[in-house]
Amino acid sequence: MAAERLVVIGGDAAGMSAASQARRLRSPDELEITAFERGHFTSYSACGIPYWVGGEVDGPDALIARSPEAHRERSIDLRMRTEVTEIDVAGRRVRVRDVDSGAAAGGDERWHGYDKLVIATGARPLRPPLPGIDAPGVHGVQTLDDGQALLDTLGELERTEGRRAVVVGAGYIGVEMAEALIRRGYAVTVLNRDEQPMPTLDPDMGALVHEAMCGLGIETVNGTTVTKILTGEDGRVRAVATEDEEYPADVVVLGLGVRPETELARAAGLPLGPSGGLLTDLSMRVRGYEDIWAGGDCVEVLDLVSGRTRHIALGTHANKHGQVIGANVGGGYATFPGVVGTAVSKVCDLEIARTGLLEAQATAVGLRYVSVTVESTSRAGYYPGTRPMHVKMLAERRTGRLLGVQIVGREGAGKRVDIAAVALTAGMTVEEMTALDLGYAPPFSPVWDPVLVAARKATSAVAADVRAR
Ligand SMILES: Cc1cc2nc3c(=O)[nH]c(=O)nc-3n(C[C@H](O)[C@H](O)[C@H](O)COP(=O)(O)OP(=O)(O)OC[C@H]3O[C@@H](n4cnc5c(N)ncnc54)[C@H](O)[C@@H]3O)c2cc1C
């Protein structure tokens, strides 16, 4: 019997995890796997780019988990610099073109048949059509090529006195890049359209990040919209203009968020959700399509707390999706139940984390909540090096069910959010959380861990709210 043909579109986290897992389960005689990747790299960590640019880790090779050759050695026919330009669902085939050879003329296009298809096309960074946005010195940081191009620009500026960088956007990529540029000796300004940095936090917690960023020497301007990029006589970037100010810049980094890369899927008539991500069932099979799976940044995921689908572009999800898809296309069985919205990042020594719902998100889905914020410490108060840590907790009114946690603080703050992520997944109440048997010793936490302090305060707030009604 001829081998089944699996085609994977996209050669990074979701796509190659799917291909690798399928190969573990099925031999080349049973399953022929072809993966198409239009870029220069495969199975790489975009997450490492800010640390590579900042000089903390080596790159780009160190950021590549598996090279094309390593995939090919495992009988995955990986075609680099090959773009899929169309999915013909009825004909079970994809149209592909070589990116480097006569692509513009379309002369090199051909069809490739499949029995099973995996769509793992990732996300596209937002790049508004502002005057000057394509000027030399303006950089995105989505791919390793982007990272290298930025490093090349920084190399050219090495001898420039008083080097200035502007980062546009204050989401996690924006703040991580601000840190990288500070490390490289730049005076950094972050321009942010929102009220506070980190839109993944409530504004009151974002305000703590703002304060800390200013303390770290990062000029952070909130509530401002970039209108154009100004260039000098040499055509290179010289400043970023907002409605009312000009910010001089030798280099500009864009961190404006991403949208699912689903143009192929849209053109093929596959189902998309409100954020433009592909809709799948729990096995990551595209809804209504028996032989097509999708995962990673190009899909919407089920938010287990709100019950809605959302687009959350994170590598942690993409890798898990790939494992699930690979198991299913390889003849096994696996599901991806959904997410609780956990994310962690940092700017210099400030750690920023969240899980569950923000206040606005809870309100949007009709949940009523009480909210508390506590200031605790990272270690026992008497232990050297202890630092303040803010924990905000949302609990459902009446039931006391945990709805969300945000943490801003120094050492040890970020990964503490995992305690809350587990509690959310388990559907715990804040009262149940107060009894969690967490580890304690003075160098690691106060005797009441900051998360438990917040849970105690939230428990009291829920009880007070019940009494008041
Ligand atoms: C700077 C930065 C920092 C990050 N930090 C973190 C972090 O700390 N934690 C975290 O969880 N996540 C982080 N992420 C997000 C994480 O990198 C992504 O969620 C993850 O890479 C998504 O994997 P994916 O396979 O879905 O998509 P991608 O990695 O985007 O891969 C999709 C691939 O598909 C290819 N492709 C697209 N269309 C086609 C086509 N038509 N034909 C052929 N190939 C195609 C693309 O070239 C691309 O290589 C970060 C991202 C960036 C940019």
Side-chain angles (χ1 to χ4, degrees):
M1 203 175 76
E4 266 195 314
R5 295 160 308 165
L6 169 65
V7 162
V8 178
I9 313 175
D12 194 24
M16 296 321 291
S17 296
S20 301
Q21 181 64 7
R23 175 54 74 231
R24 270 179 217 114
L25 298 174
R26 303 275 297 274
S27 71
D29 295 340
E30 300 167 310
L31 186 70
E32 186 186 281
I33 306 178
T34 310
F36 296 108
E37 167 53 54
R38 67 182 172 197
H40 288 107
F41 298 98
T42 181
S43 298
Y44 63 90
S45 169
C47 315
I49 293 173
Y51 310 102
W52 173 31
V53 172
E56 288 170 276
V57 302
D58 290 335
D61 293 348
L63 302 184
I64 298 170
R66 198 166 274 159
S67 66
E69 295 68 38
H71 283 298
R72 289 184 195 121
E73 275 164 22
R74 304 178 72 228
S75 303
I76 295 170
D77 181 6
L78 176 57
R79 316 258 181 106
M80 299 301 292
R81 302 292 286 157
T82 310
E83 182 175 34
V84 173
T85 56
E86 187 180 340
I87 303 169
D88 173 7
V89 173
R92 289 191 175 194
R93 56 185 190 157
V94 294
R95 198 210 298 252
V96 299
R97 72 173 183 100
D98 292 334
V99 175
D100 295 321
S101 60
D108 247 0
E109 295 206 330
R110 61 203 177 275
W111 289 97
H112 191 103
Y114 67 80
D115 299 303
K116 293 176 173 173
L117 177 68
V118 174
I119 303 173
T121 44
R124 183 171 12 97
L126 291 179
R127 207 177 164 94
L130 296 174
I133 192 109
D134 294 323
V138 180
H139 293 271
V141 283
Q142 184 73 7
T143 64
L144 295 186
D145 285 327
D146 294 338
Q148 188 59 62
L150 173 58
L151 279 165
D152 291 345
T153 294
L154 300 183
E156 288 163 18
L157 293 168
E158 199 90 305
R159 294 214 179 90
T160 307
E161 287 293 317
R163 289 164 288 174
R164 290 153 310 181
V166 169
V167 176
V168 184
Y172 80 88
I173 291 180
V175 303
E176 288 176 4
M177 289 312 300
E179 170 181 345
L181 291 160
I182 285 273
R183 284 181 177 278
R184 303 278 308 210
Y186 283 72
V188 179
T189 300
V190 176
L191 300 178
N192 172 31
R193 201 178 46 185
D194 296 321
E195 197 186 323
Q196 297 294 347
M198 294 302 291
T200 47
L201 301 180
D202 284 327
D204 55 340
M205 295 297 277
L208 297 173
V209 178
H210 176 86
E211 197 184 303
M213 284 172 74
C214 296
L216 292 163
I218 300 169
E219 183 189 14
T220 309
V221 185
N222 298 318
T224 193
T225 304
V226 171
T227 52
K228 58 177 119 152
I229 310 287
L230 304 172
T231 51
E233 277 172 11
D234 58 358
R236 286 184 51 81
V237 61
R238 72 168 175 79
V240 178
T242 64
E243 291 120 334
D244 37 32
E245 198 78 52
E246 271 183 25
Y247 297 90
D250 299 303
V251 62
V252 173
V253 173
L254 304 173
L256 291 164
V258 296
R259 292 284 175 273
E261 179 70 270
T262 46
E263 277 317 306
L264 281 179
R266 185 190 301 278
L270 300 178
L272 304 182
S275 314
L278 273 154
L279 294 175
T280 69
D281 65 15
L282 295 182
S283 70
M284 302 309 298
R285 188 181 251 126
V286 173
R287 285 189 204 166
Y289 291 82
E290 195 58 26
D291 301 320
I292 307 180
W293 284 260
D297 285 1
C298 65
V299 304
E300 294 191 8
V301 287
L302 178 63
D303 179 334
L304 295 170
V305 190
S306 70
R308 300 258 175 100
T309 62
R310 286 169 61 191
H311 180 241
I312 305 177
L314 284 176
T316 174
H317 303 164
N319 280 288
K320 292 181 185 117
H321 292 169
Q323 286 282 316
V324 168
I325 293 170
N328 290 321
V329 298
Y333 172 70
T335 57
F336 182 80
V339 303
V340 291
T342 311
V344 61
S345 49
K346 79 177 190 68
V347 52
C348 301
D349 65 346
L350 185 80
E351 301 183 1
I352 307 159
R354 56 77 47 87
T355 189
L357 303 180
L358 305 181
E359 292 200 42
Q361 291 169 332
T363 304
V365 293
L367 284 166
R368 301 264 186 102
Y369 58 87
V370 297
S371 144
V372 298
T373 303
V374 299
E375 183 176 350
S376 180
T377 53
S378 56
R379 307 171 181 200
Y382 55 81
Y383 196 86
T386 190
R387 304 293 299 273
M389 185 183 304
H390 289 83
V391 181
K392 178 168 181 175
M393 188 171 280
L394 268 60
E396 190 178 17
R397 257 190 191 176
R398 202 168 54 80
T399 67
R401 177 170 68 107
L402 178 68
L403 295 180
V405 168
Q406 298 158 56
I407 308 181
V408 175
R410 258 68 190 193
E411 183 198 44
K415 285 294 278 178
R416 263 196 170 85
V417 82
D418 290 344
I419 304 166
V422 173
L424 267 174
T425 307
M428 292 176 82
T429 65
V430 285
E431 187 171 7
E432 285 168 337
M433 282 182 80
T434 62
L436 283 174
D437 184 17
L438 305 182
Y440 159 68
F444 299 102
S445 75
V447 69
W448 280 92
D449 187 275
V451 173
L452 299 190
V453 177
R456 283 174 65 172
K457 191 168 175 188
T459 303
S460 303
V462 170
D465 182 66
V466 168
R467 279 196 305 275
R469 262 147 226 291

